[in-house]
């Protein structure tokens, strides 16, 4: 059966400067929707590109003593590099300087002129060059551009005009009859009010510069840059050169744009299409802006964030995840480095990374790395299985409604629940009892199978991570061939699959943690107890604050030195309900053999930290003064006993 087509576009970006994280945000949203639709079985055409003409670009090129095409070639190359590094899966990249586009713009201009909807007249008015926008006197704010606040220039020249006014009523009727055409609804209402205010005919040519597409029958006129730019969406769909493709993909399903250009896409563009007798796009979605500490990004404020530097530092998937998870689509969102690091540590390293690591680690230790055949399903398993199914359904519904961060939240709720499932089923306890082997196999299978499905669901957001997870789970099937159907079918993981050695997929970003572990003085220490009265008074805490610390007895099951770190030991401890790994800076005072079998006291609810690449989950208490150190122990107590 033929796949259903889905055509999605980003705006085409101005190559007047390098792209910043705000532009990367827009393209990442489009990419995750495109990837989701492919997963859901659609034949997707995903388009992005560059909007290269206009006075602003011509001026910039002059300033740099290069020709406009030399100027844009260089910047467009940097766009393409960014999209490659961000793992953007566009099917085409359109440049408005390309011949295929010139031909379409000239063809359309001629056609609309021939039918009488474009006419020549004298233009007197206001123009904002940075925004490439004409304004009426009444639209100016304090005499300046209402969009960017910069000064406008008076224009008085002979121009061609597009009879927008003729289409006003038809456009309004269309928008009212198609409630989903403009989203979110706040933008829709804005547009309705704008149209009701009256559509003026639009000036669609300029004569003061020549970097653009000449009007076919009057070459001293250059086609107005928005008329030129909007047409890119049908050029790339094959309007003139590939009618079969055009019939398949036009009308576009989704034009994803920033909120400030919704007006061009939901008023000027539909009217051009109406004049051409072409169908209107299904949806124009206006997303919000990414701001930095509440402020718009700008060169003059020095707060422009370079996405390439962020990708190099944190990795593409991490940046993609942050942008999609942190910001509610349609609303403005703040970019903050601290929030990014928090997300990496909490959601990626801790929740997802840990789940994968714990699961693979247990399969390695208890079942020699083999995913064994599951046995009977207990109620606790059924609850997990039900949640997996529900999550997939809710995820698909959210993605179909372009509610990306809701979809992500659903998946993370499943990840948290699965981490809890490990604690509830306690595979380490099952592993000790040969009579519980079947039960152990079931639990480990359910964990690995849930992770297989989680990888599929997160693949539109994190396309590098998902196949990495599959590889670690030992799945040989190529990730590229999977569909959403594979997430819906429980049991896809074949028994007998051999998992790989777990490797951290998201390193924790916590430089301070290592310092603390290597310097036990910052833990509960004898020095502190001996400290003068005054500071003891100053450090008073309430009983509630003390109660927040979960102190417990833990039995050391194994201990070994951390390679290349002479102060560190890795301890495996039994907490009664679970086993944990802790990295402790006590190697200068204890040999591993001295510790095995001891009941140490540890803080259980400390945030996990990555130390020398090892995830440390907890902290062993030790008294220390000068060069002496003694681990606090609780001989004879049951592992897991509370220390109060
Ligand atoms: N060339 C036009 C679009 C023509 S589409 C036929 C244009 N280009 S742009 O480079 O200025 O902006 C492209 C997109 O980037 C817009 O959708 C805009 O909203 C988006 N963003 C620019 N800065 C942004 C943020 N700080 N945050 C989110 N998106 C932002 O307009």
């Amino acid at each position: 059966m033929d796949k259903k087509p889905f055509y999605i576009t980003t705006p085409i970006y101005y190559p007047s400067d390098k792209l910043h994280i705000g532009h990367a945000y827009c393209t990442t949203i489009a990419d995750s929707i495109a990837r989701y639709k492919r997963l859901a079985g659609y034949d997707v055409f995903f388009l992005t590109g560059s909007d290269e003409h206009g006075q602003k670009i011509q001026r910039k090129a002059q300033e740099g003593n290069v020709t406009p095409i030399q100027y844009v070639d260089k910047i467009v190359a940097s766009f393409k590099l960014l999209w490659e590094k961000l793992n953007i899966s566009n099917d085409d990249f359109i440049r408005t300087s390309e011949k295929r586009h010139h031909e379409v713009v000239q063809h359309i201009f001629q056609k609309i002129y021939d039918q009488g909807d474009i006419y020549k007249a004298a233009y007197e008015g206001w123009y904002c060059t940075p925004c490439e926008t004409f304004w009426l006197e009444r639209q100016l704010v304090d005499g300046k551009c209402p969009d960017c606040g910069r000064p406008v220039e008076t224009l008085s020249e002979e121009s061609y005009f597009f009879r927008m006014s003729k289409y006003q009523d038809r456009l309004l009727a269309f928008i009212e009859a198609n409630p989903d055409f403009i989203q979110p609804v706040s933008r829709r209402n804005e547009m309705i009010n704008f149209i009701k205010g009256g559509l003026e005919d639009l000036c669609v040519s300029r004569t003061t510069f020549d970097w653009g597409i000449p009007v076919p029958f009057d070459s001293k006129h250059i086609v107005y840059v928005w008329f030129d730019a909007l047409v890119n969406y049908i050029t790339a769909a094959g309007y003139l050169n590939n009618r079969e493709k055009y019939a398949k993909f036009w009308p576009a399903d989704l034009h994803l744009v920033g909120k400030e250009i919704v007006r061009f896409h939901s008023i000027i563009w539909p009217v051009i299409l109406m004049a051409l007798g072409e169908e209107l796009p299904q949806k124009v979605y206006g997303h919000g802006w990414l701001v930095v500490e509440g402020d718009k990004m700008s060169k003059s404020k020095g707060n422009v964030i370079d996405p390439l530097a962020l990708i190099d530092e944190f990795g593409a998937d991490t940046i993609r995840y942050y942008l999609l998870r942190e910001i509610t689509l349609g609303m403005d969102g703040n970019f903050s480095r601290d929030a990014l690091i928090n997300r990496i540590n909490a959601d990626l390293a801790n929740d997802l990374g840990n789940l994968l690591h714990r699961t693979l680690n247990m399969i390695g230790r208890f079942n020699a790395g083999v995913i064994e055949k599951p046995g009977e399903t207990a109620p606790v398993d059924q609850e997990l299985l039900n949640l997996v199914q529900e999550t997939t359904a809710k995820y698909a519904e959210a993605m179909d409604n372009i509610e990306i961060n809701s979809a992500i939240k659903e998946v993370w709720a499943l990840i948290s629940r699965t981490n809890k499932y490990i604690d509830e089923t306690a595979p380490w306890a099952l592993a000790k009892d040969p009579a519980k082997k079947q039960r152990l196999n079931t639990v480990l299978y359910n964990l690995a199978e849930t992770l297989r499905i989680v990888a599929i669901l997160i693949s539109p957001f994190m396309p590098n991570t998902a196949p990495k997870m599959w590889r670690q789970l030992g799945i040989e099937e190529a990730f590229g061939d999977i569909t959403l159907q594979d997430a819906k079918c429980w049991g896809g993981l074949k028994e007998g699959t051999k998992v790989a050695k777990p490797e951290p997929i998201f390193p924790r970003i916590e430089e301070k943690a290592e310092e603390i572990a290597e310097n036990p003085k910052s833990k509960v220490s004898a020095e502190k107890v001996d400290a003068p009265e005054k500071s003891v008074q100053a450090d008073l805490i309430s009983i509630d604050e003390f109660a927040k610390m979960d102190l417990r007895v833990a039995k050391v099951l194994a201990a070994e030195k951390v390679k290349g770190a002479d102060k560190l030991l890795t301890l495996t401890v039994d907490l009664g309900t679970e086993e944990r790994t802790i990295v402790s800076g006590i190697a200068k005072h204890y040999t591993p053999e001295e510790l095995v079998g001891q009941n140490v006291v540890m803080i259980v609810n400390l945030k996990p930290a990555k130390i020398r690449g090892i995830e440390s989950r907890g902290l062993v208490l030790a008294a220390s003064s000068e060069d002496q150190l003694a681990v606090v122990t609780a001989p004879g107590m049951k592992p897991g006993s509370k220390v109060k």
Side-chain angles (χ1 to χ4, degrees):
M1 203 179 74
D2 270 358
K3 286 180 171 182
K4 260 178 87 177
F6 185 83
Y7 181 17
I8 177 169
T9 67
T10 72
I12 48 173
Y13 298 92
Y14 289 133
S16 49
D17 223 326
K18 282 199 312 200
L19 296 180
H20 57 57
I21 191 75
H23 303 115
Y25 170 56
C26 180
T27 305
T28 302
I29 300 167
D31 186 63
S32 68
I33 298 172
R35 287 178 182 274
Y36 164 73
K37 286 289 178 184
R38 290 189 198 110
L39 199 61
Y42 286 79
D43 187 355
V44 172
F45 180 46
F46 170 24
L47 178 70
T48 188
S50 50
D51 182 2
E52 305 187 5
H53 296 131
Q55 193 160 2
K56 190 175 169 189
I57 305 269
Q58 185 160 348
R59 278 188 194 158
K60 285 242 177 189
Q62 272 159 3
E63 283 161 22
N65 268 330
V66 288
T67 61
I69 193 71
Q70 282 171 329
Y71 179 80
V72 294
D73 274 353
K74 212 168 150 202
I75 298 196
V76 170
S78 76
F79 288 10
K80 290 187 174 171
L81 177 73
L82 172 61
W83 301 148
E84 198 185 307
K85 287 219 169 192
L86 199 55
N87 220 332
I88 301 301
S89 63
N90 53 302
D91 299 290
D92 194 356
F93 186 104
I94 186 159
R95 299 184 57 174
T96 53
S97 58
E98 286 172 277
K99 186 164 164 270
R100 61 171 169 163
H101 184 62
H102 279 224
E103 283 170 1
V104 176
V105 171
Q106 291 194 324
H107 174 91
I108 284 174
F109 205 95
Q110 182 80 55
K111 183 169 176 193
I112 299 179
Y113 177 75
D114 290 345
Q115 74 195 34
D117 282 342
I118 286 179
Y119 60 93
K120 201 174 188 178
Y123 179 78
E124 285 269 328
W126 301 99
Y127 189 68
C128 174
T129 306
C131 294
E132 313 268 13
T133 307
F134 295 98
W135 297 105
L136 299 170
E137 178 96 36
R138 65 176 158 84
Q139 291 173 318
L140 301 180
V141 176
D142 298 331
K144 301 208 170 117
C145 171
D147 264 1
C148 72
R150 281 178 279 208
V152 286
E153 299 172 71
T154 39
L155 269 190
S156 164
E157 59 186 55
E158 196 175 59
S159 298
Y160 286 93
F161 282 82
F162 176 37
R163 244 182 255 287
M164 298 267 296
S165 51
K166 175 176 155 190
Y167 294 91
Q168 171 171 330
D169 295 342
R170 266 177 67 188
L171 179 63
L172 201 55
F174 178 85
I175 294 175
E176 280 173 347
N178 293 278
D180 290 339
F181 174 55
I182 305 171
Q183 279 189 348
V185 73
S186 55
R187 302 275 158 238
R188 174 172 191 265
N189 297 339
E190 240 174 67
M191 293 306 117
I192 291 178
N193 290 338
F194 189 93
I195 300 165
K196 283 185 176 162
L199 288 189
E200 310 262 342
D201 289 351
L202 178 72
C203 175
V204 286
S205 76
R206 304 286 317 276
T207 51
T208 51
F209 62 92
D210 58 10
W211 173 236
I213 303 176
V215 168
F217 45 86
D218 193 350
S219 61
K220 81 177 195 309
H221 285 260
I222 295 295
V223 175
Y224 169 49
V225 64
W226 271 99
F227 193 99
D228 159 352
L230 290 161
V231 166
N232 91 85
Y233 301 128
I234 57 174
T235 302
Y239 177 74
L240 269 193
N241 64 5
N242 190 342
R243 290 305 290 183
E244 202 183 319
K245 180 173 177 184
Y246 187 75
K248 177 168 179 187
F249 287 110
W250 194 259
D253 293 86
L254 177 59
H255 289 318
L256 184 76
V257 299
K259 61 182 182 182
E260 85 289 6
I261 59 171
V262 169
R263 190 161 49 87
F264 298 93
H265 285 80
S266 59
I267 299 177
I268 301 180
W269 180 224
V271 173
I272 296 175
L273 290 165
M274 278 177 176
L276 286 174
E278 297 295 325
E279 277 187 77
L280 268 47
Q282 300 285 328
K283 196 186 295 297
V284 174
Y285 192 105
H287 65 75
W289 275 51
L290 204 60
V291 293
V292 176
E293 310 302 341
D295 232 356
K296 202 169 158 178
M297 258 177 278
S298 83
K299 253 191 172 169
S300 56
K301 286 185 199 138
N303 64 352
V304 176
I305 298 197
D306 175 8
L308 278 173
L310 277 183
I311 295 169
D312 283 345
E313 188 176 357
F314 297 106
D317 275 15
T318 307
I319 305 301
R320 291 172 63 108
Y321 175 79
Y322 171 77
L323 294 172
L324 299 170
R325 170 68 183 81
E326 191 79 7
I327 301 147
T328 306
L329 205 63
M331 317 271 276
D332 285 352
N334 198 42
F335 178 85
S336 118
R337 198 184 156 85
D338 283 353
L340 168 67
I341 291 177
N342 279 343
R343 285 267 169 228
I344 297 175
N345 286 347
D347 300 8
L348 302 182
N350 204 21
D351 295 346
L352 177 59
N354 239 345
L355 178 61
L356 180 67
H357 200 271
R358 290 171 90 186
T359 302
L360 295 177
N361 203 18
M362 290 190 292
I363 296 173
R365 282 171 52 212
F366 306 147
N367 274 357
V370 177
I371 298 172
E372 303 278 4
K373 186 174 184 218
E376 264 175 41
T377 303
V380 65
D381 308 329
Q382 194 55 50
E383 199 196 313
L384 181 71
L385 265 60
N386 292 347
L387 186 68
V388 171
Q389 277 202 338
E390 266 168 43
T391 303
T392 308
K394 284 188 185 163
Y395 159 94
E397 195 187 331
M399 288 304 286
D400 286 334
N401 291 334
I402 327 183
E403 289 162 3
I404 301 180
N405 67 353
S406 305
I408 296 181
K409 277 187 204 162
E410 293 296 341
V411 181
W412 255 258
L414 172 64
I415 292 170
S416 293
R417 181 65 191 86
T418 314
N419 266 317
K420 204 170 142 220
Y421 173 82
I422 298 185
D423 300 338
E424 287 169 350
T425 52
W428 49 90
L430 300 175
K432 283 183 192 147
D433 184 349
K436 297 194 173 143
K437 181 80 177 86
Q438 269 294 310
R439 183 76 202 118
L440 175 69
N441 290 348
T442 309
V443 168
L444 295 180
Y445 183 90
N446 290 347
L447 288 170
E449 176 63 357
T450 304
L451 278 161
R452 178 189 72 86
I453 292 171
V454 165
I456 298 175
L457 301 184
I458 65 168
S459 63
F461 321 126
M462 293 193 281
N464 285 331
T465 304
K468 258 194 221 163
M469 287 175 65
W470 266 36
R471 269 196 301 276
Q472 291 204 24
L473 285 166
I475 305 171
E476 278 167 6
E477 203 181 328
F479 198 86
D481 301 334
I482 52 142
T483 66
L484 197 57
Q485 200 49 38
D486 294 310
K488 289 181 183 154
C489 300
W490 179 266
L493 202 53
K494 294 190 197 85
E495 38 197 83
T497 301
K498 178 106 179 72
V499 302
K501 201 170 160 278
E503 275 172 35
I505 41 173
F506 296 105
R508 245 187 115 70
I509 319 281
E510 202 161 57
E511 296 92 345
K512 281 189 196 140
E514 188 158 336
E515 283 169 32
I516 295 171
E518 290 198 1
N519 173 17
K521 287 206 173 77
S522 55
K523 301 178 203 167
V524 176
S525 77
E527 274 172 347
K528 245 199 174 154
V529 179
D530 293 342
E533 189 94 341
K534 194 173 106 273
S535 77
V536 172
Q537 287 292 333
D539 286 349
L540 287 182
I541 58 164
S542 71
I543 189 82
D544 291 345
E545 278 170 288
F546 174 69
K548 279 189 196 156
M549 262 198 278
D550 192 0
L551 296 169
R552 286 179 192 267
V553 174
K555 181 167 185 152
V556 180
L557 300 174
E560 62 181 303
K561 292 203 162 185
V562 174
K563 269 194 206 122
D566 56 357
K567 289 186 187 170
L568 299 179
L569 286 182
T570 316
L571 309 179
T572 308
V573 298
D574 176 7
L575 266 173
T577 51
E578 64 177 292
E579 279 182 20
R580 287 221 190 159
T581 302
I582 298 162
V583 179
S584 184
I586 53 178
K588 290 221 157 147
H589 306 273
Y590 288 89
T591 62
E593 298 72 37
E594 280 176 293
L595 286 164
V596 173
Q598 296 248 31
N599 277 353
V600 297
V601 174
M602 65 177 273
I603 305 180
V604 175
N605 59 340
L606 195 71
K607 272 193 189 162
K610 180 135 272 169
I611 300 167
R612 299 281 164 125
I614 306 162
E615 171 103 341
S616 178
R617 300 182 56 233
L619 190 135
V620 172
L621 296 190
S624 77
S625 77
E626 302 290 306
D627 53 358
Q628 281 186 300
L629 182 138
V631 164
V632 179
T633 56
M637 295 300 294
K638 251 175 69 187
S641 307
K642 246 184 123 45
V643 179
K644 298 191 261 200

